[in-house]
Amino acid sequence: TFEILTFINNIVSIYESAPDDRKNPREKEGALRMIGTLSSVILGKKSPIADQVEYFFVRHVFPEFRSPHGFLRARACDTLEKFESLDFKDPNNLTIIYRNILESMADPDLPVRVEAALALQPLIRHDPIRTMMQQNIPQIMQQLLKLANEVDVDALANVMEDFVEVFAAELTPFAVALSEQLRDTYIRIVRELIERNNSKEGDADYGDFLDDKSITALGVLQTIGTLILTLESTPDVLAHLETILMPVITITLEHKLYDLYNEVFEIIDSCTFAAKVISPTMWQAFELIHRTFKAGAELYLEDMLPALENFVNYGWRTLLEKQQYLDAIMDMIRTIFKDEKVGGVDRICGCKLAEILMLNLRGGIDAYIPEFMSLAMHILLNDELKVKSYRIHLMEMVINGLYYNPRLAINVLEANGWTNKFFSLWFSSIDSFTRVHDKKLSIGAITQLLTLRGDEVPHSVQQGWPRLLQGIVRLFQTLPAALKNREEAQKEDDFGLGGEYDDDDEEEEEWEGEDWDHEETEEAADVKDESTAYLDFLSQQASKFNAAVGDDDGDDELEEESLLETPLDQMEPYSTFKTALQDLSEAQPQLYAQLTAALSPEEQAIVKTVVEEADRRAVVAAQEAATAQQQQDGATAPPAAGVAG
C-alpha cells in the first residue's frame, strides 16, 4: 500500500507543478480513482497517514472542482464520497466542499451532476453542512428530481429518501409539489418498463423487471413512503397526497408489476395509518387491492395485510354500512384458506384478517362467526401442523369467537362436537400464548365465558369448568414478563427479536383430573424439516439478545407487533377480570364458589394480587383524570382581576 500511495503522490505532485499545457488530466483522474479505492485503508484505525488526508484534499482534490475537464470534476465529487467518514478539522473546508458540491449539481455535464448528488448524501452527517443545507433544501430536492428524470440511477432515489427523512420539517411546505414530481418520475419510469416488456412480445417475465430502471422505480416508491410518514401530523396534506398518489397505485397493480407490489402496499398502509381515517380515495385503493388479489396475487396477502388491517381498524363503520367491502375481505379470507397453493405462513394472514374483523365489528358480523370457527377447527383437528405459530393463530381464531360472543361460539363448538377437543387444546397450550396480545385475548375470552350461567355451560365441559380460573391465573402470572419483553423490544426497535412462542414439544394434556375427551389423542411432536433449520439458528441467536418468554430452540417465533393497533389495546385486563369475578360472585354465588374452590393457595394468592392491581390502576387512572381536568379548568379560567395597591 505504501508503494501505491507513493506512486499516487508522485503523480498528483507532478500534475500540480506542471504548466497547464503539460498537465496530464487522465493521469490525475487515475490517481484520484486509486486513492478513492484505498479510502477504507487510509482512514483505518492503524493508518499512519489518516491525519494527512484533509491536507491532501485541500491541495489535490479541491482544485479539480474547477477543472476544465468534466471527468476530473466528476472524480473530485466521487473522491469526496469515497472518503465520507473523514472528519474535517477546519470548518472552512466543509464550507468549501458544500459550495463546490452545490455548484457541481448544476454542472453542464451529466456525470458530474450525478456524482455531486451522490456525494451530497454523506455530507448530511456534518452539522455545519446540515445547517447550511436547511436553507437550500427545496432547491436541492428540485435538482435531485430533475436528475432522476434525466438518468435512471437507483442510488439517486436513496439520496432523495435520506433528504426527505432528515429535512422533513423544511420539506413539509413543499410536500404536495414534491409528491407530484415523485409521482410523475415514477410513472415515466414504469411506462418505459411496460413499453419495453410489451415490445418483447410475451417473453417478459418476473426477472425482466429486476434491472436499474425498476430498482430506480423502487427507490422512488420508498421516497414517497418516507415522505408520507413525515406528514402524519398534517392530515390535510395527507388527504391531498392520497389523491396525487392514486395513479402510482393504479398503474403498478393494474400492470402486475409484482416486484413493486410490496412498496405500493406500504404506501397504502402509510397513508391509512398516518391519517387514522379511510378516505373515499383509499376505499378506491381497497377495491383495487381486492381485484389484484383475485387476479392471481393471493401469495401477496402478507404484503397487503398491514393496509387491510388499517381498512378494518379505521374504516369499520364503512364496512358495516357497505356490505360489498365486508364481502371482499371475507372473500380473501375464504380464498386463502381454500387455495391449495398457499401454506401455513400465508394462512396466518387469513387468521389475522379474521381476528381484526371480530375485534372491531363486535355484534355486527354474527353470521360469519361459525365460518371462522369452522375454518380453524377443521385444520386444527385434521392437519399435521409443523409450524407452531400457525397453530397458535388458528386457536386464536376460535378464541376470538369466544371473546366476540361466548354463547354463539359455544353453540358452534357444541353443534360440531368440538367443545371438549378445543378446550383441551387451548388450556394445554396456555404457555404458548407468549405475546401481550395473545394473553390479553385469552384473558378477555375467559372473562366472557365467566358470564355464562351454570345451565349454559355444556355438559361435556362442566367438570373441567373450574380450569377457567386456573388458566387465567397462569396468564396473569406470566403477563408482567410479557409486558416487559414487549417494552424492551419496542425500545430496541428490533422487529426480528420480539416475543417468541415456546418451542418445546408440547403434549396435549387433558385438563387435570377431568375426563374432558376420552377420544383425545396425544398431539404429535413438532416436526422439524430442513426449511426450519435457518429459523432454529435465528432463534438461538435471538436468545442471546432478549429475555423472551419460553425456550430458545424453537421451530418458529412471532415478534411483538408494536405498530399494530387493535381494540384489545384499550382493554385493561386487571379491571376486566376483577369486574367479571365480582359479577360472577353476585349473580351466581354457587358457581363462583365451585370455581374458586378448585384454586390452590398459590393460585388464590395470584387472584388476590390481580384484584389489588386492578384497584391500584383504578386509583392512578382517577388521579390522572383529576389532574387533566384541573389543567383544562386552569386553561379556560378567566384571568384574575388585579388588586389596587
Side-chain angles (χ1 to χ4, degrees), residues 18 39 76 195 296 334 366-367 383 399 425 435 478 507 595 611:
S39 61
E195 288 172 9
R334 291 188 189 107
D366 289 13
D383 289 8
I399 297 168
L425 177 60
R435 299 176 306 168
T478 54
E507 293 181 0
L595 295 181
V611 171

Side-chain angles (χ1 to χ4, degrees), residues 54-86:
E54 183 169 354
Y55 175 72
F56 180 90
F57 263 82
V58 172
R59 186 171 173 182
H60 298 296
V61 179
F62 286 4
E64 302 314 324
F65 285 117
R66 298 282 188 275
S67 170
H69 307 287
F71 62 86
L72 263 180
R73 297 196 300 274
R75 183 58 59 197
C77 296
D78 175 70
T79 307
L80 182 64
E81 185 200 5
K82 292 291 193 298
F83 282 86
E84 61 179 327
S85 59
L86 174 62

Side-chain angles (χ1 to χ4, degrees), residues 94 122-134 167:
L94 288 173
L123 294 178
I124 297 175
R125 74 180 185 87
H126 299 286
D127 290 338
I129 289 184
R130 193 163 61 249
T131 301
M132 288 184 281
M133 282 180 177
Q134 289 174 341
F167 299 103

Side-chain angles (χ1 to χ4, degrees), residues 623-642:
Q623 290 173 342
E624 290 177 348
T627 302
Q629 185 62 46
Q630 288 173 357
Q631 292 173 343
Q632 183 178 352
D633 293 344
T636 56

Side-chain angles (χ1 to χ4, degrees), residues 250-549:
T250 303
I251 195 170
T252 307
L253 298 183
E254 287 188 346
H255 288 275
K256 299 184 178 180
L257 303 181
Y258 294 117
D259 59 317
L260 301 175
Y261 272 14
N262 183 51
E263 278 65 28
V264 163
F265 294 136
E266 281 188 2
I267 285 174
I268 300 172
D269 173 30
S270 297
C271 284
T272 50
F273 185 80
K276 300 289 190 291
V277 66
I278 310 299
S279 66
T281 302
M282 284 296 100
W283 281 117
Q284 292 175 25
F286 172 80
E287 294 173 8
L288 195 51
I289 288 176
H290 182 233
R291 288 202 300 273
T292 302
F293 178 88
K294 297 299 289 181
E298 296 93 341
L299 297 179
Y300 289 87
L301 183 60
E302 186 175 5
D303 294 335
M304 301 174 185
L305 184 64
L308 291 173
E309 288 174 333
N310 292 342
F311 282 109
V312 180
N313 275 330
Y314 311 124
W316 60 269
R317 288 184 179 85
T318 304
L319 289 175
L320 290 175
E321 293 167 1
K322 296 196 174 182
Q323 185 66 35
Q324 69 267 31
Y325 290 158
L326 188 56
D327 288 345
I329 295 181
M330 284 301 304
D331 176 57
M332 287 189 265
I333 295 170
R334 291 188 189 107
T335 301
I336 211 71
F337 272 100
K338 295 176 180 177
D339 191 331
E340 295 181 358
K341 297 194 300 292
V342 305
V345 174
D346 298 294
R347 284 181 179 160
I348 285 174
C349 297
C351 296
K352 289 181 176 181
L353 263 184
E355 173 178 74
I356 209 74
L357 282 177
M358 286 187 274
L359 289 174
N360 278 280
L361 278 63
R362 294 183 76 180
I365 53 169
D366 289 13
Y368 297 122
I369 302 304
E371 183 174 3
F372 288 149
M373 299 183 73
S374 179
L375 285 171
M377 288 302 298
H378 276 113
I379 298 173
L380 283 169
L381 298 179
N382 299 314
D383 289 8
E384 182 181 357
L385 302 175
K386 297 178 182 179
V387 181
K388 184 170 295 184
S389 57
Y390 181 28
R391 183 179 60 188
I392 296 295
H393 280 293
L394 287 166
M395 282 193 282
E396 288 189 344
M397 275 183 78
V398 182
I399 297 168
N400 265 290
L402 292 166
Y403 181 52
Y404 174 94
N405 185 327
R407 290 168 178 81
L408 171 61
I410 285 287
N411 287 338
V412 174
L413 292 173
E414 274 293 281
N416 291 278
W418 292 333
T419 313
N420 200 308
K421 296 176 182 178
F422 178 73
F423 275 74
S424 290
L425 177 60
W426 182 12
F427 280 79
S428 66
S429 306
I430 206 77
D431 284 339
S432 292
F433 298 97
T434 56
R435 299 176 306 168
V436 173
H437 177 88
D438 305 327
K439 293 181 187 299
K440 288 179 73 173
L441 176 62
S442 278
I443 288 170
I446 292 172
T447 56
Q448 286 295 309
L449 288 169
L450 291 175
T451 66
L452 297 180
R453 298 188 311 273
D455 59 352
E456 292 178 308
V457 178
H459 179 73
S460 62
V461 291
Q462 279 181 356
Q463 277 189 302
W465 207 243
R467 282 294 305 279
L468 285 179
L469 277 190
Q470 292 174 328
I472 205 168
V473 163
R474 180 59 181 161
L475 290 165
F476 275 114
Q477 191 176 16
T478 54
L479 180 59
L483 288 165
K484 183 180 178 182
N485 180 51
R486 182 175 69 175
E487 184 180 347
E488 289 176 356
Q490 289 171 340
K491 281 181 182 176
E492 295 168 5
D493 197 27
D494 188 343
F495 300 106
L497 301 178
E500 63 184 63
Y501 285 122
D502 288 346
D503 35 53
D504 52 320
D505 292 341
E506 293 178 20
E507 293 181 0
E508 187 176 316
E509 304 173 19
E510 298 302 322
W511 288 19
E512 294 171 7
E514 317 299 340
D515 183 18
W516 282 77
D517 180 9
H518 63 277
E519 296 179 353
E520 193 76 7
T521 58
E522 183 177 313
E523 182 176 313
D526 292 331
V527 178
K528 296 183 178 181
D529 55 26
E530 292 180 2
S531 67
T532 64
Y534 183 57
L535 289 172
D536 286 343
F537 169 75
L538 290 180
S539 180
Q540 290 166 6
Q541 295 302 306
S543 68
K544 299 176 184 177
F545 296 100
N546 88 82
V549 178

